[in-house]
Amino acid sequence: MGTRRAARELALQALYQLDMAGEGDPAVPLFWSHADAERTTAERAEAERESAHAARGGSRAGVHPGRAAGAARTLDRRAQSARALDGPPDDEVQAFARELVDGVAAHRERIDALIAASAEHWRLPRLSRVDLSLLRLATFELLGRADIPASVTIDEAIEIARRFGSEDSPAFVNGVLDHIALVLGVKEKPKSPE
């Protein structure tokens, strides 16, 4: 999983928690401190594993050094892959996630107005909390991150909706965000046949 996808998923979780707990609830600072502690613990454990491996000379007694090194590389790749998917967030992931959460908080009124106008026949309180949090996140990205193409923002939101939302979430998120992107002028309008 890419750094930005991981950050978006982390931001979604924080926004969802904010939506459920309400403003001023200590749960969100606790959420961020937990992410910091999780990262620190994982980094410390990794350093201890590397130190122990170096102290053993990188080889186990009775095992051919070449085979031991190959097995260690395979285990290292598996561990890195697992950390990339489910491990604690690194600094870059957390920085982008915090930017997204803070941006949504700072522009919430405008974001909600855009969503309400684009979610035809749906009032915000009736939306799934996951879908609403994801729409807020992606709408902020469309508003505040001109360096990220609208199509990338929308595609990422659709993929996250597949993972965290209901069966209908991806299509709903796609439709609402596509309309918002058109309203904001960040997505090219389809050309009419001549």
Side-chain angles (χ1 to χ4, degrees), residues 61-77:
V63 177
H64 187 274
R67 287 187 185 158
R73 280 192 300 273
T74 300
L75 289 173
D76 252 1
R77 280 194 300 272

Side-chain angles (χ1 to χ4, degrees), residues 42-54 56 76 79 83:
E43 288 169 352
R44 192 175 318 117
E46 180 66 23
E48 288 172 4
R49 279 192 297 275
E50 288 174 4
S51 175
H53 183 71
R56 288 191 310 264
D76 252 1
R83 279 194 305 274

Side-chain angles (χ1 to χ4, degrees), residues 46-117:
E46 180 66 23
E48 288 172 4
R49 279 192 297 275
E50 288 174 4
S51 175
H53 183 71
R56 288 191 310 264
S59 177
R60 293 177 292 195
V63 177
H64 187 274
R67 287 187 185 158
R73 280 192 300 273
T74 300
L75 289 173
D76 252 1
R77 280 194 300 272
R78 287 183 187 155
Q80 287 170 352
S81 176
R83 279 194 305 274
L85 292 173
D86 296 318
D90 64 18
D91 291 336
E92 190 177 345
V93 167
Q94 265 204 344
F96 187 51
R98 284 178 193 252
E99 176 190 339
L100 295 172
V101 172
D102 292 344
V104 168
H107 301 282
R108 175 115 172 238
E109 195 171 302
R110 182 173 183 205
I111 289 168
D112 283 356
L114 284 165
I115 295 168

Side-chain angles (χ1 to χ4, degrees), residues 97-142:
R98 284 178 193 252
E99 176 190 339
L100 295 172
V101 172
D102 292 344
V104 168
H107 301 282
R108 175 115 172 238
E109 195 171 302
R110 182 173 183 205
I111 289 168
D112 283 356
L114 284 165
I115 295 168
S118 298
E120 200 171 298
H121 307 295
W122 285 92
R123 290 177 309 135
L124 294 186
R126 289 191 61 217
L127 295 178
S128 146
R129 300 273 180 141
V130 171
D131 290 352
L132 181 57
S133 295
L134 183 54
L135 288 169
R136 285 175 173 155
L137 170 72
T139 301
F140 168 72
E141 205 171 305
L142 291 170

